[in-house]
Amino acid sequence: MVSYPATTETLTLAQEANSREAISILYQVIEDPSSSPEAVRVKEQAITNLCDRLTEEKRGEDLRKLLTKLRPFFSLIPKAKTAKIVRGIIDAVAKIPGTTDLQITLCKEMVEWTRAEKRTFLRQRVEARLAALLMENKEYVEALALLSTLVKEVRRLDDKLLLVDIDLLESKLHFSLRNLPKAKAALTAARTAANAIYVPPAQQGTIDLQSGILHAEEKDYKTGYSYFFEAFESFNALGDPRAVFSLKYMLLCKIMVSQADDVAGIISSKAGLQYVGPDLDAMKAVADAHSKRSLKLFENALRDYKAQLEDDPIVHRHLSSLYDTLLEQNLCRLIEPFSRVEIAHIAELIGLPLDHVEKKLSQMILDKKFAGTLDQGAGCLIIFEDPKADAIYSATLDTIANMGKVVDSLYVRSAKIMS
């Protein structure tokens, strides 16, 4: 078997070889016992090339084994370079689809190793990555416990850049758990830490995106739109794929404030045309349905663009609210001419199942959207006239209140005279 030493010529040979041979050569370069400065430099380049080759072939398990095999080599190079290589391999595994569980296992192994080697800087960053993976895997309790410990440790060290990452991650985690006050508090902490240092544009865009999501959740869609716009500009300048999500949420905010007519203009703008695709088509379909107040078009959009609308938890939550509003508006318009009408007739007019319409009508009556009752025996909806407020009643109450004040005032005066 041919032996390949850690030299520049070997790296050139590996680049020219086919994938299988190149991987074999690169492994031999890494295993070369030489520890001269030139050999170390060549090995570092070989690790990078090998990672790229294994990622192309989607060999995630081999990348995990490679990281374990490299541990003796890490003692020969500076800690900063070790951190760069470790994070590079974890990023390489992340590029392979369906490897979330493998990434979690890999991060846990690296946390144990860094703890044993007392590499605090690297451990904290791997733990932050592990918390993000646990959150993505919906293991919220474990992620929250890990973050709670990590944030205290990082605050003591005053590592502002890592603190921004952790606070932002904590905000996303609390938002996933529907704990808005804590999500806002964590985001404020991230902003405070970010104001004290230079934050890369991608990180600033992430902060703006999270701010927009939280404002939209509180129904403050105008402020949410401005944050999504800031995030979109940051991601668009960097060519970050998250730009399309920022643009999608911008369109969502426009729809939610009943400015659906602006959606087509934003999509056809110079920036919008770069991201034309299923996500923007989905929002355009929803905007058209909203403009026409058509439930049928709305349901067609939800069915045709299920991946873009219902599978996106942020969009789905707001569209559920929009659907309910549209349904209530349509039902109120349909029942307006009647004092008594069959529920089946309303269901036929609106084109929805009978039990769905009956449930919604009962909810609207309880919410006092209109005055009426459901006669389930006859299958009818009975609508009452809106009760007119009696002006005499409120006027009488005001008179009695004023008389009470006069009596109190007279009592105070008489008490002064008697004293």
Side-chain angles (χ1 to χ4, degrees):
M1 184 177 175
V2 182
S3 177
Y4 294 99
T7 61
T8 310
E9 290 76 16
T10 308
L11 286 180
T12 308
L13 183 65
Q15 285 177 347
E16 293 169 355
N18 63 45
S19 185
R20 189 174 176 181
E21 286 178 5
I23 289 170
S24 175
I25 293 168
L26 291 168
Y27 267 121
Q28 288 187 53
V29 169
I30 293 165
E31 289 165 2
D32 188 323
S34 175
S35 58
S36 65
E38 177 63 20
V40 168
R41 188 187 65 75
V42 169
K43 284 181 185 180
E44 287 172 19
Q45 186 59 47
I47 291 165
T48 306
N49 295 352
L50 183 57
C51 282
D52 293 341
R53 295 276 188 173
L54 292 174
T55 306
E56 281 173 19
E57 296 196 0
K58 297 183 170 51
R59 289 164 63 175
E61 188 59 37
D62 286 347
L63 283 165
R64 186 183 73 81
K65 289 174 183 173
L66 173 64
L67 196 52
T68 306
K69 190 183 286 188
L70 288 172
R71 287 177 187 179
F73 174 67
F74 291 149
S75 61
L76 303 174
I77 60 174
K79 288 185 176 180
K81 283 192 175 178
T82 300
K84 185 181 176 184
I85 291 170
V86 170
R87 289 159 73 186
I89 293 175
I90 294 172
D91 288 339
V93 176
K95 290 175 186 173
I96 303 171
T99 56
T100 306
D101 291 336
L102 179 62
Q103 289 176 66
I104 290 171
T105 307
L106 181 57
C107 286
K108 285 180 177 176
E109 287 176 359
M110 287 313 299
V111 167
E112 287 174 13
W113 179 75
T114 49
R115 206 182 291 277
E117 293 285 318
K118 297 189 170 121
R119 295 179 183 242
T120 308
F121 177 86
L122 178 57
R123 176 178 57 77
Q124 289 169 346
R125 277 149 184 79
V126 175
E127 282 184 334
R129 181 64 172 266
L130 176 59
L133 289 166
L134 290 169
M135 185 182 76
E136 189 184 317
N137 220 29
K138 295 187 169 53
E139 295 177 35
Y140 299 125
V141 177
E142 192 178 345
L144 195 57
L146 180 59
L147 277 180
S148 301
T149 311
L150 188 59
V151 77
K152 289 174 189 171
E153 190 179 334
V154 174
R155 280 211 176 102
R156 277 201 308 273
L157 295 171
D158 202 32
D159 185 344
K160 289 273 194 289
L161 194 58
L162 181 57
L163 195 57
V164 172
D165 282 339
I166 293 167
D167 284 330
L168 199 51
L169 191 56
E170 193 177 3
S171 177
K172 291 176 182 176
L173 183 56
H174 284 303
F175 177 74
S176 300
L177 292 169
R178 314 295 302 128
N179 191 337
L180 276 184
K182 284 192 175 181
K184 286 171 68 181
L187 183 63
T188 304
R191 282 193 171 280
T192 306
N195 287 337
I197 55 167
Y198 168 74
V199 177
Q203 187 73 309
Q204 187 59 52
T206 309
I207 293 171
D208 289 332
L209 184 62
Q210 183 65 9
S211 299
I213 289 168
L214 292 182
H215 278 284
E217 188 65 22
E218 294 182 317
K219 313 293 182 193
D220 184 1
Y221 294 111
K222 287 188 177 177
T223 309
Y225 177 86
S226 64
Y227 275 119
F228 287 136
F229 181 73
E230 291 291 336
F232 172 70
E233 286 204 318
S234 298
F235 294 143
N236 186 40
L238 295 167
D240 193 303
R242 287 176 291 177
V244 71
F245 293 106
S246 304
L247 183 56
K248 184 178 172 183
Y249 299 151
M250 281 166 59
L251 300 178
L252 175 67
C253 289
K254 283 290 183 186
I255 294 167
M256 295 306 291
V257 293
S258 301
Q259 293 178 359
D261 295 339
D262 295 348
V263 168
I266 295 170
I267 292 173
S268 59
S269 66
K270 185 180 177 182
L273 287 171
Q274 298 176 45
Y275 299 98
V276 169
D279 285 292
L280 299 195
D281 291 343
M283 298 315 294
K284 191 172 185 301
V286 172
D288 289 343
H290 185 269
S291 299
K292 295 171 183 174
R293 302 271 186 239
S294 170
L295 276 174
K296 189 172 183 183
L297 287 176
F298 195 93
E299 288 186 332
N300 288 345
L302 290 177
R303 187 185 65 249
D304 295 342
Y305 298 100
K306 187 175 183 294
Q308 289 76 25
L309 300 176
E310 293 199 2
D311 293 351
D312 185 327
I314 294 159
V315 173
H316 178 63
R317 194 174 295 124
H318 293 290
L319 289 187
S320 297
S321 168
L322 184 64
Y323 179 79
D324 284 342
T325 306
L326 268 179
L327 181 55
E328 286 175 8
Q329 288 174 352
N330 276 268
L331 285 172
C332 285
R333 181 168 54 81
L334 288 173
I335 65 176
E336 194 175 2
F338 302 103
S339 58
R340 182 185 177 94
V341 60
E342 287 185 355
I343 301 169
H345 180 60
I346 297 172
E348 188 182 336
L349 288 174
I350 204 166
L352 289 174
L354 178 63
D355 57 338
H356 185 47
V357 172
E358 188 175 339
K359 184 181 176 183
K360 188 63 187 174
L361 287 170
S362 64
Q363 185 186 332
M364 288 170 70
I365 292 168
L366 291 171
D367 291 343
K368 298 187 177 176
K369 296 289 171 73
F370 67 90
T373 185
L374 289 170
D375 183 348
Q376 288 185 308
C380 289
L381 169 68
I382 302 165
I383 300 106
F384 304 139
E385 291 289 330
D386 289 333
K388 292 180 181 177
D390 194 345
I392 297 172
Y393 178 70
S394 57
T396 306
L397 287 177
D398 290 341
T399 305
I400 293 169
N402 288 331
M403 284 177 65
K405 290 176 185 175
V406 171
V407 171
D408 291 342
S409 176
L410 290 172
Y411 175 76
V412 171
R413 286 186 183 182
S414 63
K416 285 180 181 178
I417 292 168
M418 292 297 289
S419 61

